[in-house]
Amino acid sequence: MGAISDPYGAHLHHIIPIDFNSIQTLPESHVWHDHSDESSSGVPSADPLSVPVIDLMDPEAPSLMIQACEEWGIFQVIGHGLTKLMDDVESEAEKLFGLPVDQKLKALRSPGGATGYGRPHISPFFDKHMWQEGFTIMGSPVDHAKQLWPQDYQGFCDTMDDYQNQMKALAQKLIHIFFKSLDINFEEFDWLNDSGSSSPSTALQLNSYPPCPDPTRALGMATHTDTSLVTIVQQSKTSGLQVFKDGAGWVLVQPIPGALTVNLGDYLHILSNGVFTSVRHRVVVNQQIQRFSMAYFYSPPRDFTVSPVLSRVLEKVPKYRSLTVKEYVDIKGKHLEKAFSLIQN
C-alpha cells in the first residue's frame, strides 16, 4: 500500500482512553454542555425521517443511490453477501475491547502514529473528551495484534485482512457508480482499479462505546464529516449513529440486521461540486449497552488532485478550488469543519 494519511485529517496525539470500567459518574472532562441543543434543530415530525435502505440486488439500486447521495449523503445497503464476515469482525472487535486495560495499552497508538489503540483521531479539536475507545488498522494489523495476543493473533489478523479486502471491493463498486453519474472516467485512475504504481488510502477503524453513566451529557463521537471519498460503516445492534439533515435536525441511523451504512466523504462533495453531500454525523451513547462499530475509509492517494472540473456534467462555476489530497488533509488537520469554506472559490 502507498502512504496513508489519518482518515480524519487531524493531528495525531498520544491520548490514552480512560478506564471506563472504573467510572461510576461522568467526569467533567467528558461532559458536553451544548450538544443536546442541536438535537432540537429543525421541524419536529410525527413521522420521523429515516435514512434510505437500498438492496444492491435491485436493478434500480444505482439510481436510488444517486438520489440518496444528493438528498442525504448517506444510505444503508443490504444484499451485499457479507453478513457472515460482519458477524466475525464484530466478534473480534468485542474480544479486543474486552481485554484488560493494561493489555490494550500494549498496542497504544504511538505519538505521531496512526494505528493502534487510543482515543478518537479528532480529539485534539475539542476541549472535551469523547466516550469512546478505538483501534485503527491500516493494512496488516499483525504487529499490534501480536502485542495484544502474543500466542493467538492469527485469527484476528485473518478476519481483519478479509474484511478490509471485501470493504475495498464494495467501496470501489460504489465509487464506480458515483463517478459514472458525474461522468467522471474512473478508468483514468489506476489507484481505483488496483493497477499502476499508486494506491488508495484506506483505513479500518474499530470503535467501542461503553455504557455511560450520564449519556444525555456525553458524546461517543463529536460532530464531523469524513476526510474520505466514501466510508462504509457497520453498526452493532444498538443505535447511536446520527446524521444531520437540513430542515430536520439530527436523524438516528437505525441499525438494520446485515446492513452496511455508506457515508459520503469530503472528496466526493468536492468532486461533485457540492451536488453530493458530505454528511455531518456524530455518535450518541447509552447507559445500558456497550456499542461497537466498524468504519472503513477509502480515499484517493495523497498526490491525487481533487477538483470539481473532473466531472463532465459540471455546468456551473466550480465552487471549490482544485487541490491535492495532501493539501486538503493539511487544511482539515488545522481547521476541521471550516475546511470547505477555506477552499471555496
Side-chain angles (χ1 to χ4, degrees), residues 235-282:
Q235 296 196 80
S236 60
K237 299 175 181 65
T238 306
S239 62
L241 176 62
Q242 295 182 332
V243 297
F244 193 84
K245 184 165 174 57
D246 289 341
W250 288 103
V251 178
L252 193 66
V253 183
Q254 291 289 355
I256 295 173
L260 290 165
T261 302
V262 179
N263 289 359
L264 301 195
D266 294 350
Y267 301 127
L268 261 179
H269 180 79
I270 297 168
L271 285 166
S272 69
N273 205 37
V275 174
F276 291 173
T277 301
S278 182
V279 66
R280 293 174 66 220
H281 54 285
R282 69 181 187 185

Side-chain angles (χ1 to χ4, degrees), residues 82-145:
L82 301 175
T83 306
K84 171 64 168 64
L85 182 56
M86 291 169 63
D87 291 341
D88 292 345
V89 79
E90 183 168 340
S91 176
E92 291 292 346
E94 189 170 353
K95 182 175 74 171
L96 186 158
F97 291 116
L99 290 171
V101 172
D102 289 349
Q103 192 71 12
K104 288 184 283 192
L105 291 178
K106 291 179 180 179
L108 188 67
R109 191 169 70 234
S110 64
T115 60
Y117 177 72
R119 283 184 174 158
H121 291 284
I122 58 173
S123 294
F125 288 102
F126 302 97
D127 295 332
K128 296 297 185 177
H129 297 313
M130 288 162 259
W131 198 260
Q132 183 263 15
E133 54 181 338
F135 188 86
T136 309
I137 299 168
M138 294 176 173
S140 172
V142 65
D143 291 341
H144 285 307

Side-chain angles (χ1 to χ4, degrees), residues 85-97 135-142 144-145 148-149 153-168 202-207 234 293-296:
L85 182 56
M86 291 169 63
D87 291 341
D88 292 345
V89 79
E90 183 168 340
S91 176
E92 291 292 346
E94 189 170 353
K95 182 175 74 171
L96 186 158
F97 291 116
F135 188 86
T136 309
I137 299 168
M138 294 176 173
S140 172
V142 65
H144 285 307
L148 296 171
W149 303 283
Y153 58 86
Q154 198 59 52
F156 178 85
C157 292
D158 289 346
T159 299
M160 296 303 152
D161 288 345
D162 190 13
Y163 191 77
Q164 289 182 91
N165 288 335
Q166 295 296 334
M167 291 301 109
K168 182 178 183 180
T202 64
L204 175 61
Q205 174 74 22
L206 311 180
N207 300 304
Q234 174 182 334
S293 72
M294 285 59 67
Y296 179 81

